[in-house]
Amino acid sequence: MPKNRNTFSFPSPSAWWRGAVTRGLHRAWGWATDAGAVTVDRPGRLCFRTFGPGTRLAFPQGTVFGERWIELGAHCIIAEQVTLTAGMMPGLDLGPDPILTLGDGVVLGRGSHVVADTRVTIGKDTFCGPYVYITSTNHSYDDPHQPVGRQWPRTAPVEIGPGCWLGTGAVVLPGARLGRNVVVAAGAVVRGEVPDHSVVAGAPARVVRSWDPVRGWEPPLRTPAPVPIPEGITPEQLLALGDAERRAQ
């Protein structure tokens, strides 16, 4: 016969302690992520050239150096483990002008890298998914007798226009110039000029869709445009609308 279990049994002391430790660790990590974030009021050890209001670098930060030549606009979101560097190494004098500039409202996803050995500009309201890599420097391999890593690299400025979207794992190489509202597909490798209002994909990336003021998107979009949220609607009304649509299905 199976033994009856006490409905009101309590966890063992070891389970209770494990739960208490887990809860304590989560609270401590929550405190650390908040306290370790870099903001205009709490810059910590970092001293950027400009730091806009509302901008936040999440904790833990990635590699950050050359802050004197890095400009951060207002309301930027820099996720965890993002690398921001100006110059090839810390401690260099890079001159009077900024090297890396992020416009207002730029978002850099977790684990992204922006490596600016020469001028890199990211336009306002550009969003980057996780693990995006933007660099103004590339290895050279001119001398077949020397290890590639020991040869002097090549650099070229990078410019990303406003309103772009860079998907997860996208790579932007030295000399790339992206126009306004460009979409870069996940995993794409971008070099050269990319015109306004275009979608690029592949490695190397090529234009797979573009927008014409007369003909619209070519080739046409396969899905209908999303219905915009009406102005003035409250979150409660939006949830009620979603519930009504689900019941109607």
Side-chain angles (χ1 to χ4, degrees):
M1 294 289 293
K3 295 182 179 180
N4 292 327
R5 292 188 175 182
N6 187 349
T7 305
F8 302 101
S9 61
F10 294 96
S12 65
S14 60
W16 185 90
W17 277 110
R18 285 197 298 271
V21 169
T22 298
R23 291 190 295 273
L25 286 174
H26 286 178
R27 291 193 188 97
W29 183 251
W31 177 88
T33 54
D34 181 63
V38 175
T39 65
V40 67
D41 298 321
R42 296 183 300 177
R45 64 176 181 82
L46 300 176
C47 186
F48 291 94
R49 184 185 185 96
T50 61
F51 198 113
T55 289
R56 182 182 179 94
L57 280 71
F59 176 86
Q61 291 90 39
T63 300
V64 179
F65 62 77
E67 309 97 274
R68 288 174 52 196
W69 293 272
I70 299 177
E71 298 178 324
L72 303 179
H75 304 290
C76 295
I77 300 175
I78 315 298
E80 298 177 10
Q81 299 290 355
V82 168
T83 290
L84 295 173
T85 63
M88 291 188 179
M89 62 187 68
L92 298 179
D93 186 349
L94 305 177
D97 300 323
I99 299 296
L100 170 57
T101 298
L102 273 59
D104 296 344
V106 168
V107 175
L108 297 177
R110 177 187 176 91
S112 293
H113 287 61
V114 184
V115 179
D117 292 344
T118 190
R119 191 84 171 100
V120 173
T121 304
I122 302 177
K124 67 178 184 178
D125 297 324
T126 286
F127 285 27
C128 299
Y131 306 107
V132 168
Y133 195 93
I134 301 168
T135 181
S136 62
T137 301
N138 210 347
H139 291 289
S140 60
Y141 49 90
D142 302 65
D143 188 342
H145 306 294
Q146 288 290 331
V148 173
R150 293 181 179 275
Q151 298 186 44
W152 194 255
R154 284 187 170 87
T155 62
V158 171
E159 182 178 349
I160 298 175
C164 294
W165 163 248
L166 281 66
T168 300
V171 177
V172 179
L173 294 176
R177 295 186 63 189
L178 281 64
R180 176 185 297 271
N181 284 27
V182 169
V183 176
V184 178
V189 180
V190 183
R191 62 182 183 183
E193 299 272 348
V194 179
D196 294 348
H197 308 292
S198 59
V199 181
V200 296
R206 62 183 182 87
V207 176
V208 296
R209 179 172 279 123
S210 57
W211 184 82
D212 181 85
V214 176
R215 296 183 295 272
W217 286 103
E218 295 183 332
L221 300 174
R222 294 191 294 268
T223 57
V227 179
I229 299 174
E231 293 185 9
I233 192 170
T234 66
E236 293 77 13
Q237 292 171 329
L238 196 60
L239 289 172
L241 181 62
D243 291 340
E245 290 181 349
R246 283 191 293 270
R247 288 194 296 269
Q249 292 176 356

